[in-house]
Amino acid sequence: MSTSPARRVIAKDTLEAFSASLLEAGGFRTDYARQSADLLVWANLRGADSHGVLRIPRYIEMVELGIVKGDAKPKLSREFGAVAVIEGDRVPGATGMSMAADKAVELAEKFGIGICSIVRTSHAGAVGYFTERVARAGMVGIAMTASKPLMIYHGSKLEGVSTNPISIGAPSRNAARPIVLDMSTAAVALGKVMAAKDAGKSIPPDWGVDSNGVATTDPAKVKAVLPMAGPKGSGLSLMIEILVSVLGGNPLISAALTDNRDAGFNGLVIALGPSAFGLGDDFEGEVNRLVRAIKSLPPAVGTDEVLLPGERGFLLAEKRLQEGIPLALGTISRLAEEAGKRGIAVPPELG
Amino acid sequence: MSTSPARRVIAKDTLEAFSASLLEAGGFRTDYARQSADLLVWANLRGADSHGVLRIPRYIEMVELGIVKGDAKPKLSREFGAVAVIEGDRVPGATGMSMAADKAVELAEKFGIGICSIVRTSHAGAVGYFTERVARAGMVGIAMTASKPLMIYHGSKLEGVSTNPISIGAPSRNAARPIVLDMSTAAVALGKVMAAKDAGKSIPPDWGVDSNGVATTDPAKVKAVLPMAGPKGSGLSLMIEILVSVLGGNPLISAALTDNRDAGFNGLVIALGPSAFGLGDDFEGEVNRLVRAIKSLPPAVGTDEVLLPGERGFLLAEKRLQEGIPLALGTISRLAEEAGKRGIAVPPELG
């Protein structure tokens, strides 16, 4: 977790402006570029570098390949009561999921709860970003995204479900510090397997399987990751596919497994308004009481502090807002290459 | 999982009638007794014996202690848009959560999605029972329950959260076979730790901790269970407490940790209507396509068949409906003792 010397440090605003310029030069509409840059830098601030600006070259490539449309025009395709569905038109995920979050909040203001699905959006990155958006509106948010098979289905030797993440976020009295759980349904991020491989270390036997579908402790042999907690992880991922993709009208898993077709990327956001439950400011006060109760638990042996969901990320973000965001030299050189191709100036901090 | 010889086999209807008689004699209103018996036998049918009729003596004791009210009068205390809250008045959990499920379905018929919380109900047992109820109404159901601290909070050496379960259920074309995920947020059921202790076997290091809060492989030393997948399990449990108890207006965790007070048991059910999403019968057809795709995955080495969430339970239930439900002699003797005290005839199969 320490900042290795093979890094440069850059201020948040500078990185965000540079990222937005790159995405815009790569074909993203100005507002889409800004929203995507905001999400990517949000992830870097919180130490989730694998969901940060290192994705930019691939995002631009996805526009070139037509997987993402830089000038997409998402449309509300369905609205009934507290339910809405957006036809995403391959809009960048940061924009698509933010639209879904805002629509869910709008519906929840009227009905107490609101749900908005978006189908055919694109990779949405760190899904906690969207429940934090709902929490900033004073509501509890639930967000999920669904994609093609990427993870072993428990009991099978092949990938049968995605690593579909789920986030649940709630506002607290400290507006800058909502509680945000953001978890993948996989046992581990593929990045951790790659890091163990680079470090020449073995991995726990419940992280991944080899090409025969058998669990392995050798990171070099990992062909696919295993679900979190065995059948629970793949079961939860399957139910997320049903909630997000089947209900949304764009099934991804059966398209992939049955028709060998990539049907894209879907997501959904649910918002719940505390006032509908008869709670006003009490709600945030009670969340704070819960926060204090959990923070007062005695730490386990070898642990300094009991942390809330998302707290490690918020602490790091506060530090990085002050001290800047460290970027690996590999990431910088790829961004600089992209900038060179498109005539965008590289910020001097990264030179 | 095999039927040991120290068992008797009883027909489902006989066990249900006997259970309802016991509960009624123990102070449950007739309809509450029948609903609780239905839920308990549902669990036995599916092999979830720890959530089955062995609970009856404790359920009756809870009425005697006033923790459960056999003649409770739950009331709708709040309704706004697609949100409802029921004041449970300590109603038996099977009845309370069924009321919440029915109310959620009613709201979803009107608004596409509906959520109903119930506060101050009692132990609800196998939570999949309630999402199956929603699925039988042709909707997707999400159910969660919350109780007092029973599980280690990740990073602490003490119990800070409950083992709060979550279930997600969806209807399929085969009405008798919805897909029902039903998972606890704990790494393991305490019953499995006790079984390892009885069998003199060691347990994996991520199941439980000793009295110092340190992970142990000796089941005799387990003082508390660990969360599923470390921070994910306790984080998810905490967010369930927020969704169920804090939003419902009856926080349990802060009551226990801060005030040393047992504030009871809460639950919630969300229902989602496929027609609100623009889907009719297509939905169940698409769920079936997904079922077929998953069932067609090649089994892992050492596995006969790839199973869907809940499928093992449904297969066992179909068998036990034909062949009867095996009950352990220990369970039978406790039920017979309870029957003797209350002048209820024990079915001859159990004699």
Side-chain angles (χ1 to χ4, degrees):
Chain A
M1 304 295 282
S2 70
T3 306
S4 88
R7 297 197 157 199
R8 296 268 187 283
V9 173
I10 182 169
K12 181 217 169 216
D13 290 347
T14 315
L15 182 58
E16 218 169 270
F18 177 50
S19 300
S21 301
L22 281 174
L23 290 165
E24 194 172 354
F28 279 54
R29 218 173 79 176
T30 309
D31 53 341
Y32 296 172
R34 284 198 189 135
Q35 184 85 62
S36 294
D38 188 68
L39 167 58
L40 295 170
V41 173
W42 183 93
N44 283 118
L45 272 174
R46 280 156 184 75
D49 290 345
S50 60
H51 287 76
V53 295
L54 66 73
R55 300 266 181 172
I56 290 175
R58 172 66 185 157
Y59 278 12
I60 292 175
E61 187 186 39
M62 285 163 88
V63 169
E64 289 167 349
L65 295 169
I67 301 169
V68 173
K69 270 167 76 178
D71 62 345
K73 291 175 190 64
K75 276 192 202 83
L76 195 67
S77 60
R78 173 94 193 161
E79 187 165 351
F80 175 93
V83 172
V85 181
I86 296 172
E87 167 54 57
D89 191 31
R90 284 175 277 158
V91 70
T95 298
M97 283 292 285
S98 296
M99 290 174 71
D102 294 347
K103 183 69 193 176
V105 167
E106 180 199 316
L107 291 168
E109 275 162 2
K110 205 164 157 188
F111 300 106
I113 185 170
I115 178 169
C116 184
S117 298
I118 178 160
V119 292
R120 286 173 283 272
T121 178
S122 68
H123 183 259
V127 77
Y129 177 84
F130 308 104
T131 56
E132 192 186 308
R133 190 177 178 100
V134 175
R136 277 207 305 271
M139 295 192 181
V140 180
I142 304 175
M144 310 170 195
T145 57
S147 62
K148 64 185 177 188
L150 289 171
M151 175 172 90
I152 294 293
Y153 184 88
H154 180 79
S156 169
K157 62 180 170 188
L158 284 191
E159 293 99 321
V161 283
S162 181
T163 56
N164 292 346
I166 177 169
S167 173
I168 306 177
S172 75
R173 277 266 161 82
N174 180 347
R177 283 272 198 97
I179 305 181
V180 178
L181 175 76
D182 181 349
M183 59 180 242
S184 143
T185 47
V188 65
L190 200 57
K192 280 200 184 175
V193 177
M194 293 189 290
K197 187 178 158 190
D198 287 355
K201 288 183 181 163
S202 66
I203 55 169
D206 58 354
W207 280 16
V209 297
D210 63 21
S211 56
N212 297 314
V214 176
T216 178
T217 56
D218 178 354
K221 290 192 178 151
V222 169
K223 208 206 128 234
V225 292
L226 280 161
M228 154 198 99
K232 293 183 180 181
S234 54
L236 185 55
S237 179
L238 186 72
M239 300 319 289
I240 292 173
E241 164 71 4
I242 291 178
L243 286 165
V244 175
S245 305
V246 182
L247 267 184
N250 183 35
L252 305 182
I253 295 297
S254 48
L257 296 181
T258 308
D259 307 334
N260 200 24
R261 184 169 58 85
D262 186 343
F265 193 100
N266 307 315
L268 76 72
V269 181
I270 298 174
L272 299 112
S275 59
F277 289 79
L279 307 166
D281 288 350
D282 314 351
F283 177 70
E284 294 181 10
E286 278 300 336
V287 170
N288 273 40
R289 236 165 77 87
L290 180 59
V291 164
R292 285 195 302 272
I294 296 291
K295 295 294 293 180
S296 302
L297 289 167
V301 175
T303 304
D304 291 333
E305 192 184 355
V306 175
L307 294 173
L308 292 159
E311 188 174 4
R312 192 188 304 278
F314 283 112
L315 293 170
L316 198 56
E318 283 160 16
K319 184 169 179 279
R320 289 183 170 183
L321 273 174
Q322 299 299 321
E323 300 175 6
I325 298 171
L327 285 185
L329 292 187
T331 301
I332 293 168
S333 70
R334 261 172 293 152
L335 297 184
E337 190 191 330
E338 203 65 53
K341 274 196 272 179
R342 297 169 200 286
I344 304 285
V346 176
E349 299 95 306
L350 299 183
Chain B
M1 303 295 280
S2 69
T3 306
S4 88
R7 295 196 159 199
R8 296 267 187 286
V9 173
I10 182 168
K12 180 217 171 217
D13 290 346
T14 315
L15 182 58
E16 219 170 272
F18 177 51
S19 300
S21 301
L22 281 174
L23 290 166
E24 193 173 353
F28 279 54
R29 218 172 78 175
T30 309
D31 53 340
Y32 296 171
R34 285 198 188 134
Q35 184 85 60
S36 295
D38 189 67
L39 166 58
L40 295 170
V41 174
W42 184 92
N44 282 116
L45 272 175
R46 280 156 184 75
D49 290 346
S50 61
H51 287 75
V53 295
L54 68 72
R55 300 267 180 172
I56 290 175
R58 173 65 183 157
Y59 278 12
I60 291 175
E61 187 186 40
M62 285 162 88
V63 170
E64 289 167 349
L65 295 169
I67 301 168
V68 173
K69 271 166 78 177
D71 61 345
K73 290 175 191 65
K75 278 191 201 83
L76 195 67
S77 60
R78 173 93 192 160
E79 187 165 352
F80 176 92
V83 172
V85 182
I86 296 172
E87 166 55 56
D89 191 30
R90 284 176 277 158
V91 71
T95 298
M97 284 292 285
S98 296
M99 291 174 70
D102 294 348
K103 185 69 192 177
V105 167
E106 180 199 315
L107 291 167
E109 276 162 2
K110 204 164 159 189
F111 300 106
I113 185 171
I115 178 169
C116 183
S117 298
I118 177 159
V119 292
R120 285 172 284 270
T121 178
S122 68
H123 183 260
V127 77
Y129 177 84
F130 308 104
T131 56
E132 193 185 309
R133 190 177 177 100
V134 174
R136 276 207 306 271
M139 294 192 181
V140 180
I142 304 175
M144 310 170 196
T145 58
S147 63
K148 65 185 177 188
L150 290 171
M151 174 172 90
I152 294 293
Y153 184 88
H154 180 79
S156 170
K157 62 180 170 187
L158 285 191
E159 292 101 320
V161 282
S162 181
T163 56
N164 292 347
I166 178 171
S167 173
I168 306 177
S172 75
R173 278 265 161 83
N174 181 347
R177 283 271 198 98
I179 305 182
V180 178
L181 175 76
D182 180 350
M183 59 181 243
S184 143
T185 47
V188 65
L190 199 57
K192 281 201 185 174
V193 178
M194 294 190 289
K197 187 179 158 190
D198 287 355
K201 288 183 181 162
S202 66
I203 54 170
D206 58 354
W207 279 17
V209 298
D210 63 20
S211 56
N212 296 315
V214 176
T216 178
T217 57
D218 179 354
K221 289 190 178 151
V222 169
K223 209 207 126 231
V225 292
L226 281 162
M228 154 198 96
K232 293 182 180 182
S234 54
L236 185 55
S237 179
L238 186 73
M239 301 319 288
I240 292 174
E241 164 71 4
I242 292 178
L243 286 165
V244 176
S245 305
V246 182
L247 267 183
N250 182 36
L252 305 181
I253 294 296
S254 49
L257 296 180
T258 308
D259 307 335
N260 199 23
R261 185 168 58 86
D262 186 343
F265 193 100
N266 308 315
L268 77 72
V269 181
I270 298 174
L272 299 111
S275 59
F277 289 80
L279 306 167
D281 288 349
D282 316 351
F283 177 70
E284 294 180 10
E286 277 301 337
V287 170
N288 273 41
R289 235 164 79 85
L290 180 58
V291 164
R292 285 194 303 272
I294 296 292
K295 295 294 292 180
S296 303
L297 288 167
V301 174
T303 303
D304 290 332
E305 190 185 355
V306 175
L307 294 173
L308 292 159
E311 188 175 3
R312 192 188 303 279
F314 283 112
L315 292 171
L316 198 56
E318 283 160 18
K319 185 169 178 280
R320 290 185 169 182
L321 273 174
Q322 299 299 321
E323 300 176 6
I325 298 171
L327 285 185
L329 292 187
T331 301
I332 292 169
S333 70
R334 261 172 292 152
L335 296 185
E337 190 190 330
E338 204 65 52
K341 274 197 272 179
R342 295 166 204 287
I344 304 284
V346 176
E349 299 97 306
L350 299 183

